């Protein structure tokens, strides 16, 4: 009977693919850190197939799997999809190959790939009906693409759970809540807001302002889901944090991520449109799916100042070290910070020598940061773009809870332990979450009594520059040492080292793009002039030795 059901299901899968979701795009698409991401008009068949794959993954893991429809900081005409694993992680890397294969196979071979997955992964429970939770962002293309995912889930015999329009971090949160039998929290939007705001209000107490800190902030919602959802957050905060919202035109405005949002602010090093330009006022921006966060302000002369992921990471790591020392458990719990090669060298120096917190460097991509952070009892990780969080392992949480029950703690130790336990609930540990991270930053600034200029004064960033060189084939570049060294082409790294050695505090690395035939170049040095010269020289040698096309990039004044 089971075999007959499987045959019937496979016929249904093929019928849907042929009649409703035929593969219409000839070029292949690759599943990467961000899942699949391209023009929305090219994605219906991919969405259907990801619904199929999500059910297979759920049966393999015997758990709830998530599907998020979003293109994050991309322009509004784009869209994308990614799968969320049982504990809120990105899809396991070994299954990325299956995602790529099932997305690119021709319609008539789709059943064969499904059979290959079932056989290679030894999936036995093909009659189970696992839950697949599905969320989408505010793009006009998302509803039709969500339907394609639902049809894929149903064709493979799964049960789609529609969460509607949610942030990417919220969907990760729902997956973990369901797979931990609600131990992590209630798998509802109300449960998400309640968990974060209750913990935030407990830690803040009745003293809304402290020192130079004031409890108001200007919030750029990127005209996306982050604008929609922070309105509900404000209700739970009940005035403990005053959020003035801007760029909150949501569905169909055509303004998603346009001249605003975290990616625009970070890459353009510029103030977003729509916000009042009031000097020394604390501002923050999220991106289109609300998993990135950056802070910034304008000084009295109108100069722009950015607090990116590096600044957020150092603020959090420094504060967690302070509070750990007050609990008396600093020697029992290992705190660490994880960065990528794109982290500003000044931040790494500050963390290592001033804060004296261990630092690890991993390749670009949140999945690498998250996995490395799990090696610590308390792991802080952020990309420079503002995507990151803090993870606490189960033993660390248990040690804190047990310590709080002891009668021999001093008042300071007791208060600090209680505070840290509550801070854990402010944090969405499953993935970088702009809303959760904002509450954490506000908690720390309030505790320190700092305004945004005091936060920035902790250290001075080294001038840095990002360039890209177009090449015939990006695969000629391969890297090692967390993407900080080139292994091919032969001789390129030696030439880069010679160039870097000429500049004070010089550092530069190159890495191939994951999606297009370009090589990305990062450079930093003690002065802006030296930084630009360094970047230009490295770009020229990459163009020469890696098969550059056209002219090497030039830096305009």
């Amino acid at each position: 009977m089971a075999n007959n059901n499987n045959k019937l299901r496979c016929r249904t899968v093929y019928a849907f693919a042929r009649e409703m979701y035929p593969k219409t795009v000839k070029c292949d698409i690759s599943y990467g850190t961000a899942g699949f991401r391209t023009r929305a008009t090219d994605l219906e068949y991919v969405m259907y197939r990801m619904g199929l794959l999500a059910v297979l993954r759920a049966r393999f893991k015997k758990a709830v799997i998530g599907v998020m429809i979003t293109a994050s900081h991309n322009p509004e005409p784009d869209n994308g999809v990614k799968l969320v694993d049982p504990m809120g992680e990105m899809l396991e890397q070994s299954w990325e190959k299956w995602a790529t294969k099932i997305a690119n196979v021709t319609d008539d071979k789709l059943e064969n790939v499904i059979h290959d997955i079932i056989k290679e992964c030894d999936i036995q429970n093909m009659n189970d009906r696992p839950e697949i939770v599905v969320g989408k962002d505010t793009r006009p293309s998302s509803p039709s693409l969500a339907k394609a995912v639902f049809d894929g889930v149903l064709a493979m015999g799964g049960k789609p759970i529609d969460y509607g329009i949610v942030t990417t971090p919220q969907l990760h949160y729902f997956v973990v809540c369901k797979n931990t039998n609600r131990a992590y929290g209630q798998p509802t939007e109300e449960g998400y807001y309640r968990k974060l705001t209750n913990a935030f209000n407990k830690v803040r107490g009745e003293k809304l302002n402290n020192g130079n800190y004031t409890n108001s902030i200007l919030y750029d919602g990127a005209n996306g889901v982050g604008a929609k959802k922070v309105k509900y957050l404000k209700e739970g905060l009940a005035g403990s944090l005053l959020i003035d919202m801007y760029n909150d035109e949501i569905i169909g405005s055509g303004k998603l991520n346009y001249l605003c949002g975290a990616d625009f602010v970070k890459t353009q090093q510029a103030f977003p449109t729509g916000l009042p330009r009031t000097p020394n006022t604390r501002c923050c921006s999220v991106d289109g799916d609300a998993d990135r966060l950056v802070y910034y302000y304008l000084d009295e002369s109108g100069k722009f100042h950015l607090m990116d992921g590096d600044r957020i990471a150092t603020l959090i790591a420094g504060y967690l070290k302070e509070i750990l020392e007050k609990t008396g458990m600093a020697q029992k719990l290992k705190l660490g910070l994880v960065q990528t090669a794109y982290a500003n060298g000044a931040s790494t120096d500050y963390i290592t020598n001033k804060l004296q917190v261990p630092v690890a460097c991993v390749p670009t991509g949140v999945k690498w940061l998250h996995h490395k952070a799990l090696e610590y009892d308390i792991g802080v990780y952020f990309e420079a773009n503002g995507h990151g969080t803090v993870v606490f392992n189960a033993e660390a949480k248990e040690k804190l809870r047990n310590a709080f029950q002891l009668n021999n703690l001093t008042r300071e130790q007791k208060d600090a332990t209680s505070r840290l336990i509550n801070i854990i609930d402010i944090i969405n540990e499953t993935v970088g979450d702009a809303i959760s991270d904002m509450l954490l930053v506000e908690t720390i600034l309030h505790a320190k009594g700092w305004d945004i200029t005091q936060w920035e004064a902790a250290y001075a960033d080294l001038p840095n520059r990002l360039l890209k060189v177009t090449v015939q084939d990006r695969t000629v570049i391969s890297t090692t040492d967390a993407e900080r060294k080139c292994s091919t082409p032969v001789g390129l790294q030696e030439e880069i080292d010679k160039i870097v050695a000429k500049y004070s505090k010089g550092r530069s690395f190159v890495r191939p793009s994951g999606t297009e035939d370009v090589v990305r170049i990062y450079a930093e040095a003690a002065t802006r002039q030296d930084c630009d010269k360094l970047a230009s020289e490295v770009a020229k040698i990459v163009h020469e030795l890696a098969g550059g096309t056209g002219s090497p990039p030039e830096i305009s004044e």
Side-chain angles (χ1 to χ4, degrees):
M1 185 67 179
N3 286 335
N4 289 335
N5 287 341
N6 287 341
K7 289 178 181 178
L8 179 62
R9 185 170 293 139
C10 284
R11 285 200 294 271
T12 302
V13 165
Y14 177 56
F16 264 101
R18 183 188 63 227
E19 302 297 332
M20 296 183 65
Y21 302 109
K23 187 178 185 298
T24 55
V25 179
K26 292 182 179 180
C27 60
D28 284 354
I29 187 170
S30 296
Y31 192 101
T33 299
F36 294 115
R37 194 175 292 179
T38 188
R39 298 284 290 186
T41 51
D42 294 338
L43 277 172
E44 274 204 349
Y45 75 95
V46 175
M47 294 290 179
Y48 171 71
R49 295 173 183 210
M50 288 305 98
L52 304 175
L53 186 67
V55 177
L56 294 173
R57 180 68 176 165
R59 290 188 177 126
F60 175 72
K61 297 296 289 185
K62 298 180 174 63
V64 175
I65 293 295
V67 179
M68 185 66 202
I69 300 164
T70 182
S72 187
H73 56 275
N74 281 37
E76 191 166 289
D78 290 353
N79 217 319
V81 60
K82 60 182 178 181
L83 270 59
V84 178
D85 260 357
M87 295 312 294
E89 322 97 311
M90 303 296 187
L91 179 66
E92 182 183 315
Q93 190 175 10
S94 64
W95 273 64
E96 289 181 8
K97 67 174 185 179
W98 288 123
T100 299
K101 191 168 185 178
I102 201 171
N104 293 317
V105 70
T106 56
D107 294 330
D108 60 322
K109 298 291 177 60
L110 180 57
E111 290 178 51
N112 295 343
V113 174
I114 291 171
H115 285 305
D116 289 345
I117 295 171
I118 293 169
K119 182 178 179 181
E120 185 168 320
C121 299
D122 193 25
I123 300 173
Q124 300 288 335
N125 49 334
M126 285 298 295
N127 289 322
D128 286 359
R129 194 171 181 230
E131 288 187 355
I132 307 299
V133 301
V134 182
K136 57 182 176 288
D137 70 13
T138 58
R139 294 165 198 272
S141 60
S142 290
S144 62
L145 295 179
K147 183 182 182 303
V149 172
F150 297 153
D151 285 343
V153 171
L154 291 169
M156 191 52 69
K159 181 181 179 182
I161 307 296
D162 184 9
Y163 272 93
I165 294 175
V166 293
T167 70
T168 293
Q170 284 178 327
L171 189 84
H172 285 252
Y173 167 87
F174 301 145
V175 170
V176 177
C177 290
K178 282 181 168 287
N179 283 315
T180 58
N181 196 26
R182 293 171 167 74
Y184 190 69
Q186 293 297 315
T188 63
E189 280 198 69
E190 183 183 354
Y192 168 87
Y193 297 124
R194 189 188 305 118
K195 180 179 180 181
L196 267 59
T197 58
N198 284 353
F200 179 83
N201 290 334
K202 280 182 186 177
V203 173
R204 172 145 301 194
E206 296 181 1
K207 190 176 183 181
L208 302 184
N209 299 311
N210 184 38
N212 291 322
Y213 175 87
T214 56
N215 72 321
S216 63
I217 186 170
L218 305 188
Y219 178 92
D220 162 26
N223 295 310
V225 66
K228 180 181 177 68
K229 298 306 179 182
V230 85
K231 294 178 181 178
Y232 301 104
L233 183 82
K234 289 175 67 173
E235 295 176 12
L237 292 172
S240 59
L241 178 64
L242 304 176
I243 305 172
D244 293 330
M245 293 179 56
Y246 298 89
N247 296 322
D248 58 353
E249 297 180 43
I250 306 169
I251 300 175
S253 68
K255 297 181 180 180
L256 178 66
N257 296 316
Y258 180 66
L259 300 180
C260 61
D263 187 66
F264 170 82
V265 172
K266 169 63 178 173
T267 58
Q268 300 301 313
Q269 302 278 301
F271 206 73
T273 187
L275 274 68
R277 304 173 74 88
T278 309
N280 297 325
T281 298
R282 196 167 69 256
C283 308
C284 72
S285 290
V286 304
D287 64 337
D289 66 337
D291 63 1
R292 294 185 185 185
L293 172 76
V294 295
Y295 274 74
Y296 48 92
Y297 73 98
L298 296 176
D299 63 23
E300 291 86 349
S301 66
K303 182 181 178 182
F304 175 80
H305 298 255
L306 176 67
M307 262 54 67
D308 61 7
D310 295 340
R311 293 276 183 182
I312 294 172
T314 55
L315 179 73
I316 293 171
Y319 183 68
L320 289 179
K321 184 180 180 185
E322 286 179 26
I323 202 167
L324 267 177
E325 289 172 348
K326 289 179 181 178
T327 66
M329 299 187 66
Q331 302 304 315
K332 298 178 182 178
L333 296 176
K334 184 182 177 185
L335 170 68
L337 191 146
V338 188
Q339 298 181 314
T340 71
Y342 284 108
N344 194 280
S347 74
T348 308
D349 182 70
Y350 174 73
I351 297 160
T352 304
N353 297 316
K354 178 69 174 178
L355 300 181
Q356 296 187 335
V357 172
V359 180
C361 186
V362 297
T364 304
V366 172
K367 62 185 177 184
W368 305 113
L369 290 132
H370 191 89
H371 290 158
K372 187 66 178 180
L374 292 172
E375 295 179 11
Y376 299 98
D377 295 314
I378 304 173
V380 181
Y381 72 83
F382 272 84
E383 292 184 291
N385 61 27
H387 192 170
T389 189
V390 186
V391 291
F392 295 76
N393 67 26
E395 289 184 6
K397 293 176 183 177
E398 185 177 4
K399 286 178 181 178
L400 288 168
R401 286 192 294 265
N402 290 341
F404 187 70
Q405 302 301 322
L406 298 176
N407 295 322
N408 61 347
L409 295 182
T410 66
R411 171 55 61 184
E412 181 183 54
Q413 289 173 332
K414 192 99 173 170
D415 289 347
T417 304
S418 173
R419 187 177 186 84
L420 187 52
I421 290 170
N422 282 316
I423 283 174
I424 292 173
D425 280 342
I426 296 174
I427 298 165
N428 185 350
E429 298 178 68
T430 66
V431 71
D433 182 338
I435 291 174
S436 164
D437 289 340
M438 177 184 71
L439 294 181
L440 180 58
V441 168
E442 295 298 318
T443 294
I444 296 170
L445 293 178
H446 174 268
K448 287 180 168 291
W450 281 1
D451 63 16
I452 197 165
T453 63
Q454 290 170 291
W455 175 11
E456 184 185 31
Y459 64 87
D461 276 327
L462 290 171
N464 58 89
R465 177 73 72 174
L466 279 168
L467 295 177
K468 62 181 181 181
V469 173
T470 304
V471 294
Q472 293 178 346
D473 178 10
R474 68 181 183 274
T475 63
V476 301
I477 297 279
S478 60
T479 63
T480 186
D481 189 23
E483 301 180 317
R484 291 177 290 188
K485 299 289 183 183
C486 272
S487 45
T488 62
V490 175
L492 176 58
Q493 186 58 52
E494 288 78 1
E495 293 300 319
I496 293 173
D497 290 342
K498 290 177 185 176
I499 296 168
V500 168
K502 298 190 296 184
Y503 298 98
S504 174
K505 296 186 179 179
R507 183 169 74 94
S508 183
F509 66 90
V510 304
R511 56 181 288 270
S513 165
T515 56
E516 53 185 328
D517 281 325
V518 300
V519 178
R520 305 195 186 281
I521 295 163
Y522 177 88
E524 63 185 27
T527 67
R528 169 56 63 191
Q529 184 179 27
D530 281 356
C531 176
D532 289 349
K533 287 181 179 178
L534 171 57
S536 181
E537 287 190 53
V538 172
K540 287 177 181 177
I541 199 67
V542 168
H543 187 273
E544 177 184 336
L545 297 183
T549 61
S551 301
E554 294 184 1
I555 298 173
S556 58
E557 294 297 329

